[in-house]
Amino acid sequence: LVVNNVFNETGCFILRMAIQRRRQPAVRETKFYALLLMPRPVGDGAADPVGGCAGAEAGFGRGVRAGRGQPITVNRIRINMSAIKMCSVCKEKPATLFLTKISSDNKKQDLNLCDACAKAKGLDSDPTAFLVPDADIMLGLGASQELDPMAGAVEIKCSRCGFSQADFKKSGRLGCPACYETFAEGLASLLKTMHKGTRHAGKAPEAVRTSRETGDRLKQLQKKLNKAVETEDFETAANLRDEIKALSGAGPIKAIK
Amino acid sequence: MKDLHQFLISPVAAAAQHGPNDRIVMSSRVRLARNLRDAAFPGWAKKPERVRILEAVLPAVSGLPEMKDSFAEAMDNLTALDKQILVERHLISREHAAKNVGSGIVLNREESFCVMINEEDHLRMQALRPGFQIREAWNAIDRLDSALEKKLNFAFDNELGYLTACPTNLGTGIRVSAMLHLPGLVLGEQINPIIQSVNKLGLAVRGLYGEGTEALGNIFQVSNQMTLGESETAIVERLEKVLSQIIEHEENARQTLLEKKPKTVFNHIGRAYGVLANAHSISSKETMNLLSLLRLGIDLGSFPGTERALVDELFLTTQPAHLQKQISDKLSAEERDLIRADMVRERLKNVNRPVTK
């Protein structure tokens, strides 16, 4: 997570951050988030709670920030605060924390919270929590609490190294080579979005390469052998059998009795 | 234990290395991620396991003929300053510089191979070449990998390829990258559309020190992101194509700037020279950005008789750790700024004011 704090001219506190794709594989499609935190309104319910900030444009300039994923350029984020916004959770109190999430396709998601609700969500002290993948669930207002126990119920752990799915969510990395088998199911869709394909197309260790070639060749010979036996061409069959024997280091050959 | 400072190629010699197209492509690199079949990845392995891995991998790597007389050391034997110097030389990642017990480095004499042990993966092996030579770098690291697989049992899956700690590196485990100096595109304000279109091709553009860093000195790193489903050579070829295009765009941008806004260009170059040749205190960031303009000036013929190598040397020696290493006392940032300015003034003493054609 790359965080860069700046104050713009109007005094609004702007938190910029780029998500490193690898740490948050679940939100891969979201390349950039911006969080805008407004100062609390002075007095009670002034018409323009953020003063000079109303309609202000927070220029981010041409800054190029490069995360693990793609570098991000944000040209500007428009803050439109023409009226007091109410808390989007309790819908009763005026909001004091304004969070805007901007995804790569320029879709914006707003979450406006009052003091109490921000605290309840734990967003008052750590607004970055808004960036966790579950934030979308949170936007479904309270749905996350219902989902949480379900998520905790099934926990797969790698039998080799003890690494759990929760650990992966936290770090974006796996525990050991065997984890790829343990978590194969969950990884499949992730890999699809992450890479060009899901099947390795490059170099292999020589030992693997030769055993793969041997395997292919053996299959071929076996086929020929079966055919030879079928057509009762025993001379060819005997030759093939010897060849297979040599290649496989005297493995069992079933087709010949 | 070998002294790192004596082992490393001097900044003057390092800057004097030439490669094809090094006017724009400062260096090329290919790295492969590999892991041992029967061990937890470094981020999850406990300390004793990491130490065991290091003790197995370090001699295997340093025993290769390509790594003869190499600098092979555990990270906990290096000082913080040494590690920072390695980062400034682009030999290890910042992440690796933060490692201690259970991690190591093997660097060959020519500095053309550098293997990080127990970074994010058990092995991160890199081949480095000056200028635009990603294909050569791939061939070199391919050979090193083939030699090493005879000694170490790498985690490999028929379907998924080489298994890596992070799924983003799965498959080939390859990262092909080139460091580009693109002042023309930055001054011509064309860099953002270029970055965007490069991104669309599935390639990443990063700052000077890789992940999450700023593009100081108009230096950008372009690299592949996807590692699974495509062969190494296909990735190298795609990078080659894209890099050639970026080089062409940069050359065109410089030409256009000279034709349409010569005053702007020479103003930038002249001011950069003015500050660098006369400042008495200068930060490393400002130095980088001004050196970039000086480098552009040399490329455009504003400083006849001055070699690009001089700028590339200063790019290195003005970095905080390199500066610190030259002075025995511990320096504060302010003190470094003074010494940096003195050094730059001294090195530019014989460089004449820019000529404007």
Side-chain angles (χ1 to χ4, degrees), chain B residues 167 199 244 252 285 321 349:
Chain B
N199 285 165
S244 305
N252 288 343
K285 197 169 165 176
K349 206 172 54 187

CSV table of all heavy atoms in Angstrom, one decimal, chain B residues 167 199 244 252 285 321 349:
chain,number,residue,atom,x,y,z
B,167,PRO,N,1.4,-15.3,-6.5
B,167,PRO,CA,0.8,-15.9,-7.7
B,167,PRO,C,1.1,-14.9,-8.9
B,167,PRO,O,1.0,-15.4,-10.1
B,167,PRO,CB,-0.7,-15.9,-7.5
B,167,PRO,CG,-0.8,-15.9,-6.0
B,167,PRO,CD,0.4,-15.2,-5.4
B,199,ASN,N,0.6,0.4,-20.4
B,199,ASN,CA,-0.2,-0.4,-19.5
B,199,ASN,C,-1.2,-1.3,-20.1
B,199,ASN,O,-1.4,-2.4,-19.7
B,199,ASN,CB,-0.9,0.6,-18.5
B,199,ASN,CG,0.0,1.2,-17.5
B,199,ASN,OD1,-0.4,2.2,-16.8
B,199,ASN,ND2,1.2,0.7,-17.3
B,244,SER,N,11.3,-0.6,-28.3
B,244,SER,CA,11.7,0.1,-29.6
B,244,SER,C,10.8,1.2,-29.9
B,244,SER,O,11.2,2.3,-30.3
B,244,SER,CB,11.7,-0.9,-30.7
B,244,SER,OG,12.5,-2.0,-30.4
B,252,ASN,N,11.5,11.2,-31.2
B,252,ASN,CA,10.6,12.1,-31.9
B,252,ASN,C,10.3,13.3,-31.0
B,252,ASN,O,10.2,14.4,-31.5
B,252,ASN,CB,9.3,11.4,-32.4
B,252,ASN,CG,9.6,10.4,-33.5
B,252,ASN,OD1,10.6,10.5,-34.2
B,252,ASN,ND2,8.7,9.5,-33.7
B,285,LYS,N,17.3,14.5,-4.7
B,285,LYS,CA,16.2,14.6,-5.6
B,285,LYS,C,16.4,15.6,-6.7
B,285,LYS,O,16.3,15.4,-7.9
B,285,LYS,CB,14.9,14.8,-4.8
B,285,LYS,CG,13.7,14.5,-5.5
B,285,LYS,CD,12.5,14.6,-4.5
B,285,LYS,CE,11.2,14.6,-5.3
B,285,LYS,NZ,10.0,14.6,-4.4
B,321,ALA,N,23.7,7.0,0.0
B,321,ALA,CA,24.6,6.0,0.5
B,321,ALA,C,26.0,6.1,-0.1
B,321,ALA,O,27.0,6.0,0.6
B,321,ALA,CB,24.0,4.6,0.4
B,349,LYS,N,33.6,21.1,-13.2
B,349,LYS,CA,34.5,22.2,-13.3
B,349,LYS,C,34.9,22.4,-14.7
B,349,LYS,O,35.1,23.6,-15.2
B,349,LYS,CB,35.7,21.9,-12.4
B,349,LYS,CG,36.5,23.1,-11.9
B,349,LYS,CD,37.5,22.7,-10.9
B,349,LYS,CE,38.5,21.7,-11.5
B,349,LYS,NZ,39.4,21.1,-10.5
